[in-house]
Amino acid sequence: MSTRTAPPEAPAPVTGRPPRARPPRRARRTGPAGGRTSKTVVNAILAVVAVYTLMPLTWLIIAATKNYRDLFATNPFSLGSFHLFSNLGALFDYDDGVFGRWLLNSLLYTLAGSILSTLISVACGYAFDKYAFRGKEKLFGVVLVGVLIPSTVVQLPLYLMASGLGLVNTYWAVLIPSLVNPFSVYLARVFSEGYVPDEVLEAARVDGAGELRTFTKVSLPMLAPGFVTIFLFSFTANWNNFYGALMMLNNDRLYPVNLGLYMWNQNVYQQPQLYPLVIIGSLVAVVPLIVAFLCLQRFWRSGLTAGAVK
C-alpha cells in the first residue's frame, strides 16, 4: 500500500479585480389586491373613528328636539315629536333667563380672556425669539415647565391668592388666570421663528421704526395665522374652563354656561324638568365653538401647517 499523499492544490491566481457584488434584491411590489386591502382597512378605521366622534353629537341633536316624555319613551336615536323651539324657549325663560346670563358670562370670559391672552403670548414668544437678554433660555425653560404642569394643580394656589386679594366671586377671579398660558408662549415663539425673518426687522429698524411699531406694524401682520391658531386654542380652553370657575365662583349669576349646566344636572333627580333643559343647553353651548372654528378655519389650517413644518 502506497503512503504517498496527493500534492496540495495550487492556489487560485490573484487578479486585480475584486469579486463582483450581487445586486440587491428589489422589494416586491404590492399588487392591486394588497393595495385595495390596505385602503379598505384604513377607510374602515376612519369610519369607526368618525362614528365614535359623531355619535354623541348626533344623539345630542336628536334629543334636543324631544320633550321630557319622548326622551325616555323612544329610542335614543329615533325621532319623536319635534319640540326644538319650545325647548329653546323654556331654556331661556327658566329662572328669569339665567341661562342667557351664563351664555353672556362665558362669552365675556372667553373673548376677553382669549384676546388678551393671545396678545400677551404672541408678544412674549416674539421677545423670546427676536431679542437677546440675560437668562433668556433659562426663563424659557421655566415656561416649558409650566406647560407640563396640569392646570388643575395650580387652581388651589390661585384660589388662595385671589382670596387674599379679595377677588373671589368676581369676574376678575376667572379672567386674570386665563391671561397666562405657557403653551401659547411656546407656540408663539415657534411661529415667530417661522414667519418673521430677521432681515425684515433690520430693514424696518433702518427705516427708523421703533421696536413697538416694528412689532405692531411689521411682525404682527406676519404672525396672523399663528395669532389665530393660538386664539382658537385659548378660546377652546377658556370656554371649557370648568374647574377654575367652580373654585372661584359661588354666585350663580356669575357662572359660565358649563358650570351652570353642571349645577342643573346635579339637581335633575330633585327637579326632573331640568333634564330637557340640560340637553338643549348643552347643544347651545357647543354652537359658539363650531362657529369660531368655521369662521377661522383657513387661518387655523395654515397656522398648524407652518407650526408642524417648523
Side-chain angles (χ1 to χ4, degrees):
M1 181 177 181
S2 174
T3 58
R4 296 176 61 186
T5 59
E9 296 181 357
V14 179
T15 60
R17 297 180 181 177
R20 182 177 298 177
R22 294 183 178 179
R25 295 182 178 179
R26 295 183 180 179
R28 296 182 178 178
R29 296 182 179 179
T30 304
R36 285 195 297 268
T37 302
S38 60
K39 289 182 181 180
T40 302
V41 172
V42 172
N43 291 334
I45 294 175
L46 291 177
V48 171
V49 173
V51 170
Y52 177 80
T53 304
L54 296 176
M55 186 176 292
L57 183 59
T58 303
W59 176 87
L60 184 63
I61 294 173
I62 295 175
T65 64
K66 300 179 181 181
N67 57 13
Y68 182 80
R69 187 186 68 83
D70 289 341
L71 280 174
F72 299 96
T74 60
N75 186 279
F77 290 96
S78 63
L79 295 174
S81 54
F82 190 80
H83 291 86
L84 177 63
F85 298 109
S86 60
N87 290 339
L88 285 172
L91 174 68
F92 286 97
D93 290 340
Y94 183 80
D95 196 10
D96 296 328
V98 68
F99 182 83
R101 187 177 182 90
W102 293 343
L103 206 58
L104 292 176
N105 290 341
S106 290
L107 290 174
L108 173 64
Y109 295 141
T110 303
L111 289 177
S114 299
I115 292 173
L116 293 176
S117 174
T118 304
L119 285 172
I120 293 172
S121 299
V122 169
C124 291
Y126 174 82
F128 274 118
D129 175 39
K130 301 303 178 185
Y131 296 113
F133 50 89
R134 186 175 180 181
K136 179 174 100 169
E137 296 303 328
K138 293 182 179 178
L139 187 58
F140 190 69
V142 174
V143 173
L144 295 180
V145 171
V147 175
L148 303 176
I149 299 176
S151 59
T152 53
V153 174
V154 300
Q155 291 303 323
L156 180 58
L158 287 175
Y159 172 79
L160 294 176
M161 288 189 291
S163 178
L165 295 173
L167 298 178
V168 174
N169 209 34
T170 65
Y171 287 108
W172 299 108
V174 180
L175 275 174
I176 293 177
S178 67
L179 301 181
V180 181
N181 192 333
F183 181 67
S184 297
V185 175
Y186 166 76
L187 281 182
R189 182 175 183 178
V190 172
F191 284 121
S192 179
E193 292 174 354
Y195 276 96
V196 184
D198 295 335
E199 294 80 6
V200 175
L201 301 183
E202 292 298 328
R205 295 184 182 112
V206 169
D207 290 339
E211 295 300 326
L212 181 59
R213 187 174 183 182
T214 301
F215 172 69
T216 56
K217 300 296 183 180
V218 179
S219 301
L220 202 56
M222 293 181 179
L223 290 170
F227 186 95
V228 173
T229 303
I230 295 172
F231 173 80
L232 284 175
F233 280 121
S234 180
F235 187 92
T236 305
N238 290 332
W239 187 266
N240 296 325
N241 181 20
F242 168 78
Y243 194 68
L246 179 64
M247 291 284 293
M248 297 293 183
L249 304 175
N250 53 36
N251 184 355
D252 62 346
R253 297 294 169 176
L254 301 179
Y255 285 170
V257 66
N258 52 2
L259 181 58
L261 291 173
Y262 171 78
M263 292 301 180
W264 277 358
N265 191 55
Q266 293 296 104
N267 297 323
V268 293
Y269 296 105
Q270 292 79 19
Q271 298 175 285
Q273 71 274 13
L274 290 177
Y275 195 80
L277 301 185
V278 172
I279 294 176
I280 188 67
S282 300
L283 180 62
V284 174
V286 175
V287 172
L289 290 176
I290 298 175
V291 172
F293 273 90
L294 290 179
C295 294
L296 303 175
Q297 185 179 17
R298 178 169 60 90
F299 296 99
W300 178 58
R301 283 182 177 179
S302 59
L304 284 182
T305 303
V309 173
K310 186 64 182 178

